[in-house]
Amino acid sequence: MKTLLLTLLRCGMVAILVTAGAAAAQQPPAVDELMRGAPVPPDRRVTLQNFMQEPYSRWGFRHLRQLAPTAEIYAGPGPVSPLQRQPVDLDKLVFEVGGGQTLDLATWMEESRTDSFLVLHRGHIVYERYLHGMQPHQPHQMFSVTKSFVGTLVLLLAEEGRIDLEQAVANYLPELADSAFGSATVQQVLDMVTSVSFSEDYEDPQADIRQYGQIAWIGYDPTAAYTGPASMYDYLPTLKSRDAEHGEAFHYVTPNTDVLAWLLGRVTGQPLQELIAEHIWQPLGAERSGYLWLDRGGIPMAGGGLNVTARDAARFGQMILQDGYYNQRQVLPPRVAKRILTPRNRAVFNTLYQDEWYEKIAFGYHDQWWSFNNTHRAVSAIGVHGQFIYLDSVADMVIVKQSAHPDAEGESNEVHGPLIWHQIALHLLDLDNAQ
């Protein structure tokens, strides 16, 4: 299982970042005791140094804007698009998760440290739960789910003729001409098949991902001097190629997404938060404004800075399932939505990552979206610590999961989760057929 877990770490950005410190010697405070008091006692204080650790993550993942600089994704003046309810009792179901093991939803949600779990079927809420003090109105840190929003925007601009996916990145961003990204095509960056010398080995304190995380304030120590890159724009040009050709293998490198966000800004003249608001959030009729975490230079964290509510994440997913049409308007061109829902790149997916998860659970990666190796070929946005927007076009089902698991990755979220969701999809289809 260790090989599987090390591979799964590549599924997100902020695992980088986990300061692998031991828990406090004393009994940790309860979640509802965190950030209480005037002043807050040191053992109940959530900071950029401890918010990745349990129990502090329970509070930190819901209140990131109180810890780090952020930029609002404005939902606009409304009206909010309605989400109708058609409740389905999923609590009595028992799911097979491999090895002869079975789980019910309540047990699995607790094991996977679920904060929010929402299921849409045919656009209706059939199941919705909030745990451990999480509230429906609260935005939650989504980590690398952010990547799928960035990829969607790139596809949108490509469909509009403003980005040519076959052009070299350097044609748009000459600042990256001498970097690993300069000769890669935009499509290769989208699919993460670029040849970049970059280590996301989170057990290695010297890995590249550690410096990347420092640019984003992760593990920030106000008493320690910082002399690294001032922003992502300073950091990306320093990354060089590895000994391979672009396109040969899928290689999960979070800075690919930061390149795409830089390109979006260059083409449009707008920061990422405005692009999401204008092209996605406001057309969807989002219920709440979201926000993006900013790096040291005030640049949006395209690789993992999105914070949104579960219901609004579900609206985004349902819009894609409906060929880009939602809230009585065409939010995305149908070709973009269909492209997101069409898995590809299987041949290069596990060239570098030959282990059980890549062979049996996942299927591929394309356009900043993952796909799963089940009969419905579901696709998903995935973030570490248990964040998902899972789209099953066969069952017309969206699942949103927001979590605060102490591990960046693990069996309960990355393995049991997709197995359970596919069984939920089959159950919902059975109910449809019985009517």
Side-chain angles (χ1 to χ4, degrees):
M1 190 64 190
K2 184 177 181 181
T3 301
L4 169 61
L5 296 184
L6 289 176
T7 300
L8 286 172
L9 281 167
R10 299 182 180 97
C11 292
M13 166 208 95
V14 181
I16 359 186
L17 308 169
V18 176
T19 303
Q26 67 272 26
Q27 184 70 23
V31 175
D32 59 3
E33 296 176 341
L34 295 173
M35 298 300 281
R36 299 291 185 181
V40 178
D43 67 317
R44 301 180 185 181
R45 192 175 301 150
V46 184
T47 69
L48 286 174
Q49 287 180 284
N50 69 13
F51 87 103
M52 303 296 292
Q53 304 167 22
E54 198 175 40
Y56 306 102
S57 57
R58 283 287 192 192
W59 189 94
F61 289 2
R62 304 172 193 177
H63 301 91
L64 187 64
R65 59 186 158 199
Q66 293 176 235
L67 302 176
T70 61
E72 183 184 41
I73 300 170
Y74 180 45
V80 174
S81 58
L83 283 174
Q84 304 297 329
R85 295 180 179 275
Q86 289 184 354
V88 174
D89 185 4
L90 301 179
D91 291 316
K92 295 179 182 178
L93 300 180
V94 176
F95 304 95
E96 297 179 1
V97 293
Q101 183 180 2
T102 60
L103 290 171
D104 58 61
L105 272 184
T107 301
W108 169 73
M109 286 191 290
E110 191 59 37
E111 288 182 356
S112 61
R113 304 299 203 281
T114 303
D115 288 332
S116 308
F117 187 68
L118 189 154
V119 182
L120 290 186
H121 179 51
R122 306 203 185 285
H124 295 82
I125 296 176
V126 297
Y127 191 88
E128 185 177 25
R129 296 291 185 273
Y130 297 92
L131 306 172
H132 299 283
M134 182 70 183
Q135 298 297 320
H137 68 273
Q138 290 180 314
H140 193 286
Q141 170 64 24
M142 298 298 286
F143 296 118
S144 288
V145 166
T146 317
K147 292 178 171 69
S148 299
F149 280 74
V150 174
T152 299
L153 287 170
V154 172
L155 294 180
L156 171 62
L157 265 64
E159 185 70 13
E160 293 176 349
R162 302 174 71 182
I163 294 176
D164 183 345
L165 299 181
E166 299 309 315
Q167 284 289 312
V169 167
N171 291 343
Y172 293 100
L173 300 171
E175 299 92 331
L176 295 179
D178 296 328
S179 75
F181 305 104
S183 60
T185 66
V186 177
Q187 185 62 64
Q188 288 168 335
V189 177
L190 269 171
D191 292 340
M192 291 209 191
V193 291
T194 52
S195 178
V196 185
S197 179
F198 189 89
S199 171
E200 295 204 21
D201 181 353
Y202 309 112
E203 294 189 343
D204 179 3
Q206 303 303 317
D208 300 284
I209 201 68
R210 298 286 180 170
Q211 183 178 33
Y212 179 97
Q214 282 296 303
I215 301 168
W217 306 98
I218 305 300
Y220 171 67
D221 180 355
T223 66
Y226 176 77
T227 59
S231 75
M232 205 55 62
Y233 293 161
D234 298 309
Y235 180 64
L236 293 175
T238 71
L239 298 180
K240 301 302 180 182
S241 299
R242 61 187 175 89
D243 187 18
E245 297 294 324
H246 296 309
E248 287 185 355
F250 169 66
H251 182 203
Y252 193 92
V253 173
T254 289
N256 278 299
T257 315
D258 296 289
V259 170
L260 295 173
W262 191 352
L263 191 157
L264 287 169
R266 180 60 52 84
V267 170
T268 65
Q270 295 176 273
L272 184 59
Q273 67 269 18
E274 289 185 9
L275 292 172
I276 296 176
E278 177 183 330
H279 294 287
I280 299 176
W281 231 231
Q282 293 171 15
L284 281 178
E287 189 172 333
R288 298 277 177 174
S289 293
Y291 60 92
L292 282 168
W293 180 355
L294 304 179
D295 73 12
R296 290 176 181 268
I299 309 304
M301 291 283 295
L306 182 69
N307 291 257
V308 297
T309 69
R311 290 175 183 170
D312 285 334
R315 287 179 169 93
F316 174 65
Q318 188 63 36
M319 176 269 294
I320 293 172
L321 289 185
Q322 294 176 182
D323 287 337
Y325 187 82
Y326 197 82
N327 195 27
Q328 300 183 345
R329 62 187 298 177
Q330 197 70 45
V331 180
L332 291 178
R335 290 209 313 174
V336 170
K338 289 177 180 177
R339 176 174 175 144
I340 290 170
L341 295 171
T342 305
R344 57 184 175 82
N345 293 342
R346 177 65 175 175
V348 298
F349 181 55
N350 62 349
T351 301
L352 298 180
Y353 308 126
Q354 295 181 356
D355 69 26
E356 187 177 0
W357 192 82
Y358 279 78
E359 295 285 349
K360 295 183 179 180
I361 302 299
F363 181 81
Y365 189 90
H366 70 283
D367 300 316
Q368 306 279 295
W369 288 84
W370 298 88
S371 57
F372 284 103
N373 196 15
N374 56 42
T375 56
H376 293 183
R377 289 290 188 265
V379 303
S380 186
I382 302 178
V384 288
H385 301 283
Q387 327 309 323
F388 296 86
I389 305 176
Y390 178 92
L391 312 180
D392 185 325
S393 58
V394 176
D396 194 0
M397 181 189 77
V398 178
I399 286 181
V400 175
K401 186 179 193 294
Q402 298 172 318
S403 318
H405 200 283
D407 299 326
E409 41 64 41
E411 187 175 52
S412 61
N413 278 306
E414 280 78 14
V415 177
H416 293 167
L419 295 175
I420 288 171
W421 307 333
H422 185 57
Q423 291 170 74
I424 291 175
L426 296 177
H427 178 71
L428 293 175
L429 288 174
D430 286 343
L431 291 179
D432 287 345
N433 292 333
Q435 292 179 353

